[in-house]
Amino acid sequence: MGRVSTTPRRAGVALAVLTALLVSGCSGPADRRPDPAPTSPAALAATPTPGASLPAADPAARAAALVATLADEDLVGQVLMPYAYGDAATRVSPGSAAGNQALAKVDTPAQMVEKYRLGGLILVGFSADDPTKGNQETTNVDNPKQVRALTDGLREAAGRLPARPAPFLIGTDQEYGVVTRITDGVTLLPSALAAGAAGKPELTEAAWRAAGAELAAMGINLDFAPVADVLATRSTVIGSRSYGADPKAAAGQVAGAVRGLQAAGVAATVKHFPGHGHSAADSHEGLPVLGQPRKTLETAAWPPFSAGIDAGAMAVMSAHLDVRSVDPGTAATFSHKLLTGVLRGQLGFQGVVITDGMNMPPAKRWSPGEAAVRALKAGNDLILMPPNVGQAYDGLLAALRDGSLPRARLVDAATRVLTMKFKLADRPAPELSTLGGPAHRKAAEELAAAAVTVLRGACGGGVRGPVTVTASGGRDHTRAALTEALKAAGVRVVPSGGTVVHLVGYGDGDGDLRADAAVTVAMDTPYVLAKAKSPTLLATYSSSQASMTALAGVLAGKARPGGRSPVPVTGLPATTCGA
């Protein structure tokens, strides 16, 4: 690896203790208030060497004690969370090995963890309708058994590092809806927008508790969810990933998702601060501008972030957004005013701040090393997906040694990360057999059923059979899922000639509608329904199996569509089913 120090770093224990005071209590409503020192400096000093037994104290004290033993290289590794190529920790294809060589000058993910003393790794991948696919260079995920084997292998590699007393972080973007990394063999929740339509945070919390248990069973302990962005624009990159256009309603949903996920032992990440839904532009392509006055953002964009913090969110993701009213011309990822002044100061967040992907265009205006240093100095604690791991690592280490990166800032960041890890420690992973179990399916189905909305037509009553199901191009799988669900609900389905139920989804427009459809169903944002001619308009906001089952119940006349559109649709009510 080169330039590897074998002696503990010289930062004093007193500095580590001070950092522990700053970060203690970074989970739960107490995040917004400083906590008393849990352990004396003498007790912390009792851990002289890396990997030695740590005091049985609170997570912040354990983190400070461990930080006091780590070399510079270990501290830098703790604040990096890259991606890697390959679906196994130690055995990869020649193509994946070549990708890892370009990314980090190693062959396998396990070698990357060990060479750069990493504190975590993100598992990546994408699906057909994924608006984030632009920065997903590869995929690590196939099925739960494979993912669990991969995460076990990564943890085995991390277990040989000096920071081994702290759990290794393995994160992914399991938002459900259009951004869902692991789709096969798991319980798929309906989208965030569907949960917003249901309007019942208790159902959201139950569904996310089930989802968290499944992530934990696969060895994932950090989820880059929920999305706290208020859908103030018709953003296609955020869209149905948001809980809706009402900041107060979205706040309740975000809090429910955070509570559910973290009850299962998986850290939640509210994102994308300071509010990607207030721009229709895509930060995977450029630097979106938020031109709203600060007061508008305080009342219309930030309440869901505050709610997530109050619910105990362990992490917040910073976004590549230019907020003109706070720090014009600077992406929030690199803005000390936004991350340290607003997020830490005004909103009181004391947990881990994680960058959005550093392989996205707004972050690539600098070299990987300089970008990592700038992000850390702005107030981020974890650098996500650097486009070159070695350059990011070397840049941080060089900046630390020449003084351009203050040691106190690196110590603070590493301590926050390790505090979060110790909060996640000692939680045994559920068995893989729990995935897709009856209780988990029930939680997803109840949320999906509460989301179905009628925006035109009678409230319930079903459709006249037989039914013919059609869909916009490329949605044969979803059409087949609805067909089977209708049959199970007792509805006769015919290939043609029946009452047409037409499905539209992510990215569809006016040209994807069908003029002769008796029923048109929006399975993503419902805006397209404004131009639909069908006498009955429904929205599920999601194409999950649970959503198709719920839709079939409504079409069969066996369930009442009780959802309300969480975003305004031109010329249509939020529902025709009353209050």
Side-chain angles (χ1 to χ4, degrees):
M1 179 162 61
R3 302 199 311 278
V4 175
S5 169
T6 58
T7 59
R9 44 168 288 277
R10 297 181 180 178
V13 172
L15 179 57
V17 175
L18 176 60
T19 305
L21 293 177
L22 292 173
V23 301
S24 61
C26 77
S27 176
D31 282 0
R32 302 166 76 89
R33 303 181 297 276
D35 288 340
T39 309
S40 68
L44 294 181
T47 309
T49 56
S53 177
L54 294 175
D58 73 13
R62 296 181 72 188
L66 181 55
V67 163
T69 74
L70 296 179
D72 292 347
E73 292 82 1
D74 298 299
L75 293 179
V76 168
Q78 286 301 305
V79 302
L80 291 173
M81 181 175 266
Y83 65 95
Y85 291 81
D87 59 6
T90 58
R91 298 182 307 278
V92 300
S93 68
S96 290
N100 287 325
Q101 282 290 336
L103 184 64
K105 296 184 179 179
V106 297
D107 287 336
T108 70
Q111 290 170 354
M112 189 185 300
V113 170
E114 293 190 67
K115 179 174 182 178
Y116 297 104
R117 308 193 186 191
L118 297 177
L121 199 78
I122 179 175
L123 306 186
V124 295
F126 58 87
S127 55
D129 288 339
D130 189 346
T132 71
K133 69 179 71 174
N135 73 324
Q136 303 296 301
E137 304 287 347
T138 182
T139 182
N140 304 122
V141 299
D142 182 24
N143 61 71
K145 185 177 179 180
Q146 170 266 320
V147 172
R148 179 59 185 267
L150 170 60
T151 58
D152 284 348
L154 294 172
R155 288 198 165 87
E156 182 178 351
R160 294 186 282 270
L161 299 174
R164 61 186 173 271
F168 188 68
L169 283 179
I170 299 176
T172 197
D173 292 284
Q174 192 81 347
E175 297 176 11
Y176 301 96
V178 293
V179 178
T180 307
R181 301 297 180 230
I182 306 165
T183 58
D184 294 338
V186 301
T187 302
L188 292 175
L189 307 188
S191 69
L193 201 62
K200 297 181 177 180
E202 67 277 11
L203 294 182
T204 301
E205 181 174 346
W208 276 95
R209 187 179 295 110
E214 298 199 356
L215 288 170
M218 292 182 283
I220 293 166
N221 57 3
L222 173 63
D223 194 5
F224 299 116
V227 172
D229 303 318
V230 177
L231 198 58
T233 65
R234 292 194 178 187
S235 167
T236 56
V237 67
I238 299 300
S240 61
R241 302 165 68 192
S242 167
Y243 287 100
D246 182 335
K248 183 177 179 181
Q253 293 291 330
V254 168
V258 167
R259 288 192 297 267
L261 192 59
Q262 293 191 169
V266 177
T269 309
V270 291
K271 65 184 188 184
H272 310 77
F273 184 80
H276 208 314
H278 276 68
S279 172
D282 187 350
S283 58
H284 297 87
E285 299 174 356
L287 180 61
V289 171
L290 270 62
Q292 296 87 351
R294 178 167 178 155
K295 286 293 185 183
T296 298
L297 297 175
E298 288 176 346
T299 58
W302 297 346
F305 292 95
S306 291
I309 293 168
D310 286 341
M314 294 188 194
V316 170
M317 180 177 286
S318 61
H320 305 312
L321 301 171
D322 179 0
V323 184
R324 293 295 172 87
S325 60
V326 179
D327 196 359
T330 303
T333 321
F334 305 101
S335 172
H336 190 271
K337 291 180 180 179
L338 278 160
L339 300 187
T340 303
V342 175
L343 182 57
R344 296 277 192 218
Q346 183 175 341
L347 302 188
F349 181 61
Q350 294 301 312
V352 175
V353 180
I354 305 173
T355 72
D356 204 344
M358 296 291 276
N359 61 344
M360 294 164 64
K364 292 175 73 174
R365 59 176 294 189
W366 299 288
S367 68
E370 184 177 355
V373 171
R374 286 175 176 266
L376 209 64
K377 290 172 71 174
N380 293 281
D381 304 302
L382 199 55
I383 309 299
L384 188 66
M385 300 177 71
N388 186 288
V389 184
Q391 291 176 25
Y393 177 90
D394 289 342
L396 286 169
L397 197 57
L400 177 67
R401 290 174 173 169
D402 70 18
S404 55
L405 173 61
R407 179 172 294 278
R409 175 75 273 268
L410 179 61
V411 169
D412 174 55
T415 307
R416 290 180 192 273
V417 172
L418 287 165
T419 298
M420 179 171 73
K421 290 184 175 191
F422 281 121
K423 286 178 179 289
L424 300 169
D426 307 319
R427 294 289 295 262
E431 296 296 326
L432 281 175
S433 60
T434 63
L435 272 67
H440 293 180
R441 292 198 308 272
K442 180 182 178 183
E445 289 167 357
E446 287 182 346
L447 182 59
V452 181
T453 306
V454 55
L455 291 90
R456 179 190 294 158
C459 180
V463 295
R464 297 171 63 90
V467 166
T468 297
V469 180
T470 63
S472 57
R475 306 197 185 280
D476 289 343
H477 177 79
T478 308
R479 183 178 59 79
L482 177 59
T483 297
E484 292 306 310
L486 284 168
K487 290 178 180 178
V491 176
R492 182 180 169 218
V493 182
V494 295
S496 61
T499 300
V500 174
V501 175
H502 185 63
L503 305 174
V504 289
Y506 175 82
D508 288 342
D510 300 354
D512 298 292
L513 297 169
R514 181 165 171 165
D516 64 341
V519 181
T520 298
V521 183
M523 302 184 298
D524 194 68
T525 53
Y527 305 124
V528 67
L529 296 181
K531 296 295 182 69
K533 305 301 182 184
S534 302
T536 299
L537 302 177
L538 297 173
T540 61
Y541 315 94
S542 172
S543 59
S544 70
Q545 180 63 60
S547 295
M548 293 303 97
T549 299
L551 174 62
V554 170
L555 294 173
K558 295 182 176 181
R560 182 179 183 274
R564 297 178 60 87
S565 178
V567 294
V569 181
T570 303
L572 295 173
T575 177
T576 63
C577 285

